[in-house]
Amino acid sequence: MPLRHPWRLSAAGILIVALGGTIWSIAKNPNVEWSIVAHYFFSDLVVNGVLVTLYLTFIAMAIGIVGAVAIAVMRLSENPVLSSIAKFYIWFFRGTPVLIQIIFWGYIGALYPQVKLGIPFTHVTFWSTGSSAIITPMLAAILSLGLNEIAYSGEIIRGGISGVAKGQVEAAHSLGLTPTQTTRKIVLPQAMRIVVPPMGNEVLTMLKETALVSVIAGRDLMTAVQQIYSQNYQVIPLLVVAGIWYLILTSLLSYPQRLLERRYGRSRVSAMGSSGSRRLLLGFTGSKKAALSHD
Amino acid sequence: MIDVGTRPNVIAKNVHKHFGHVEVLKGIDFTVNRGDVVCLLGPSGSGKSTLLRCINHLETITEGSIEVGGEFVGYQRQGTSLSELHPRRVAKQRANIGMVFQQFNLFPHLTVMENLTIAPTMVRDMSAKESVESGNALLERMGLSTKAQEYPGQLSGGQQQRVAIARALMMKPTLMLFDEPTSALDPELVGEVLTAMKELALEGMTMIVVTHEIQFAREVADTVIFMDDGVIVERGEPKSVLGNPKEVRTQAFLSRVRVQMEKEQQSE
């Protein structure tokens, strides 16, 4: 006779009732106005916003990851200038709210009204134009999100690289592999296994973070729904539209993450413990458990 | 190619090594002739592993020189002093020196066969087919033919260490370094690794072995070097160093090891 868990059962029951009630009250709440949700869900402005949100996510993550590898390598470099610059970069971009960085790039024209191409410290100018002509809201959004992401991903990649055992590098070197070959074939593939799960989180965070660019009219999904509800005052239904879209996108994006985790997790067993004795120990506890359950 | 047959394979002269202010090697001199097996014994912290790691430049040396096969490892002579070589040149030298580590250090993300073939294909430009063939031959010799497609984590410690030996042999080294190859193994798995090493010694491989296995040193070594506190205390044939040690420190060490071994035997 298996052990009964009366508290577990009743807690589950209470939660199901509470959850069901909440969903019911939202679904039946006349203020949500599902007909309006349906009406705007596939409207041109919203669908275009979804595409911009996806585009922003991918471009910012691409900048973020490429830059992050550079920052991580700099941070781990023995050159004190390089590692200090990397440390400063990470300190600065992680230490200020991304919302401030977005607005800052959006209003960069107030700081540098003109962009000039010329010889520094002289009056020679080949070409110049107003900053706002170059730094469009879209570019400001890409720059702020991308540069911010470099700092976060950089720390993740650094963690991955330093997480690879020192003996791995020594073994590769002892076989005659050059430092470059060692990094490419031995260190990075093993770092990937450590890097992929938190990187997947970064992508999902980025997708939702793009909503912040609505403050500089970044034309993303959030900007789109704000634009609509500022005209028709249907704030709740349009927030529901945006919320559902974000849920759909994050769910879709977690799928490739799972694939990558499987791809780089192939030899997990060995990452956990390479010594035979530890595996033997696990085997023993396993069999003990099996023996106990027979009683 | 340098003719290593006419001169000793390894020549270490006045080797000093500092870690910060701590001097771990305080002037080591020794030579290893081609085909010889040298066992380095000594208490932990005596500097024997550091010395081994200096031989293939995993550690830099502070003073002195180490030659393998007629070349300074990691350095080149410039006038009267030695200057450090570019990492790519060091890599070329290391390719001829096999190393086996205490913790095996197999690549966990690669299969056994990929562990064997990665260096020959990348460093020696050997074709994939040829490297798999010699990989299979070596695995067979190590009694591991069925394990080629498995990952290191699926093998026992003894099997992993034999794969590590095979991986080093794939490069056809002229010298093999063993850094406490059996210290991380369960007692019942030590034998299979020592047997593989013994066979290698019989085939005439030049070997330097840092070990605590006195019995192995007695049977296989041509020379035993006893180190303590960064210096060589005593060296010679195993039967004199191990059977009839002259130095007090050697005697103390050997009796400690003997007591330890008896304790282990009793507890089994």
Side-chain angles (χ1 to χ4, degrees), chain A residues 176-191:
Chain A
L177 266 62
T178 63
T180 319
Q181 290 171 328
T182 305
T183 304
R184 251 184 44 229
K185 291 289 180 174
I186 305 301
V187 176
L188 286 183
Q190 292 187 60

Side-chain angles (χ1 to χ4, degrees), chain A residues 166-168 170-179 181 184-186 189-190 193 266-267 269-271 273-277 279-280, chain B residues 53 56 58 87-88 91 94-95 97 99 101 104-109 118-119 122-123 151 153-157 160 167-168 171 186:
Chain A
K166 195 165 149 269
Q168 293 289 308
E170 292 184 347
H173 283 172
S174 80
L175 287 164
L177 266 62
T178 63
Q181 290 171 328
R184 251 184 44 229
K185 291 289 180 174
I186 305 301
Q190 292 187 60
R193 190 172 44 209
R266 265 190 319 194
S267 49
V269 215
S270 52
S274 55
S275 99
S277 58
R279 287 192 329 118
L280 213 65
Chain B
R53 293 162 57 82
N56 68 350
L58 284 182
R88 273 199 298 272
R94 284 194 185 121
I97 305 171
M99 184 152 188
F101 299 85
F104 328 135
N105 295 351
L106 292 177
F107 306 130
H109 60 302
I118 184 167
M122 295 198 75
V123 179
Y151 285 95
Q154 298 166 291
L155 306 181
S156 76
Q160 289 191 54
R167 179 177 70 175
M171 297 300 285
D186 290 330

Side-chain angles (χ1 to χ4, degrees), chain B residues 182-241:
Chain B
T182 57
S183 298
L185 295 176
D186 290 330
E188 75 269 23
L189 302 176
V190 168
E192 58 190 75
V193 172
L194 291 181
T195 307
M197 289 168 63
K198 234 178 262 181
E199 280 168 13
L200 197 57
L202 287 174
E203 286 167 22
M205 177 63 76
T206 315
M207 292 163 55
I208 304 180
V209 186
V210 172
T211 186
H212 293 289
E213 299 289 334
I214 305 291
Q215 191 55 35
F216 175 82
R218 188 172 289 139
E219 286 173 30
V220 182
D222 298 286
T223 307
V224 171
I225 294 178
F226 175 73
M227 281 180 70
D228 192 11
D229 199 23
V231 295
I232 293 179
V233 175
E234 192 166 353
R235 73 181 95 197
E237 286 180 30
K239 63 172 185 282
S240 65
V241 176

Side-chain angles (χ1 to χ4, degrees), chain A residues 36-37 39-49 220-239 241-242 245:
Chain A
I36 297 180
V37 171
H39 178 259
Y40 282 105
F41 200 76
F42 291 110
S43 68
D44 287 349
L45 203 55
V46 167
V47 170
N48 189 52
D220 70 311
L221 175 56
M222 194 62 203
T223 311
V225 297
Q226 274 183 354
Q227 207 175 321
I228 299 171
Y229 70 58
S230 67
Q231 286 164 12
N232 65 8
Y233 303 110
Q234 299 289 353
V235 177
I236 299 295
L238 280 149
L239 285 181
V241 167
W245 268 116

Side-chain angles (χ1 to χ4, degrees), chain B residues 7-225:
Chain B
R7 55 158 98 200
N9 197 357
V10 184
I11 306 172
K13 281 182 192 155
N14 192 32
V15 175
H16 288 260
K17 168 75 189 171
H18 295 260
F19 285 118
H21 294 294
V22 188
E23 190 173 26
V24 287
L25 298 177
K26 303 171 179 171
I28 303 280
D29 290 89
F30 69 88
T31 59
V32 180
N33 287 326
R34 209 182 166 189
D36 272 8
V37 176
V38 172
C39 282
L40 286 174
L41 303 181
S44 59
S46 59
K48 53 196 191 315
S49 280
T50 306
L51 177 61
L52 195 77
R53 293 162 57 82
C54 285
I55 295 176
N56 68 350
H57 202 59
L58 284 182
E59 303 282 356
T60 56
I61 56 181
T62 328
E63 205 189 316
S65 67
I66 300 177
E67 271 178 71
V68 175
E71 282 183 43
F72 294 108
V73 183
Y75 299 92
Q76 63 185 348
R77 190 180 289 284
Q78 271 190 344
T80 53
S81 64
L82 296 177
S83 61
E84 205 169 349
L85 283 174
H86 190 276
R88 273 199 298 272
R89 298 264 308 271
V90 182
K92 278 217 174 75
Q93 294 180 324
R94 284 194 185 121
N96 298 318
I97 305 171
M99 184 152 188
V100 174
F101 299 85
Q102 182 176 354
Q103 299 296 341
F104 328 135
N105 295 351
L106 292 177
F107 306 130
H109 60 302
L110 302 179
T111 63
V112 166
M113 185 51 81
E114 287 164 345
N115 264 277
L116 297 196
T117 55
I118 184 167
T121 49
M122 295 198 75
V123 179
R124 296 261 196 256
D125 293 325
M126 196 188 265
S127 74
K129 186 166 166 277
E130 203 183 336
S131 67
V132 168
E133 274 168 17
S134 57
N136 275 324
L138 272 171
L139 283 181
E140 184 146 350
R141 203 174 113 185
M142 293 286 163
L144 296 166
S145 344
T146 56
K147 307 289 184 192
Q149 295 315 317
E150 291 192 22
Y151 285 95
Q154 298 166 291
L155 306 181
S156 76
Q159 290 168 335
Q160 289 191 54
Q161 194 60 301
R162 282 182 287 152
V163 172
I165 295 173
R167 179 177 70 175
L169 292 177
M170 286 292 286
M171 297 300 285
K172 302 198 167 39
T174 56
L175 168 70
M176 284 284 285
L177 308 174
F178 292 84
D179 189 5
E180 304 202 24
T182 57
S183 298
L185 295 176
D186 290 330
E188 75 269 23
L189 302 176
V190 168
E192 58 190 75
V193 172
L194 291 181
T195 307
M197 289 168 63
K198 234 178 262 181
E199 280 168 13
L200 197 57
L202 287 174
E203 286 167 22
M205 177 63 76
T206 315
M207 292 163 55
I208 304 180
V209 186
V210 172
T211 186
H212 293 289
E213 299 289 334
I214 305 291
Q215 191 55 35
F216 175 82
R218 188 172 289 139
E219 286 173 30
V220 182
D222 298 286
T223 307
V224 171
I225 294 178

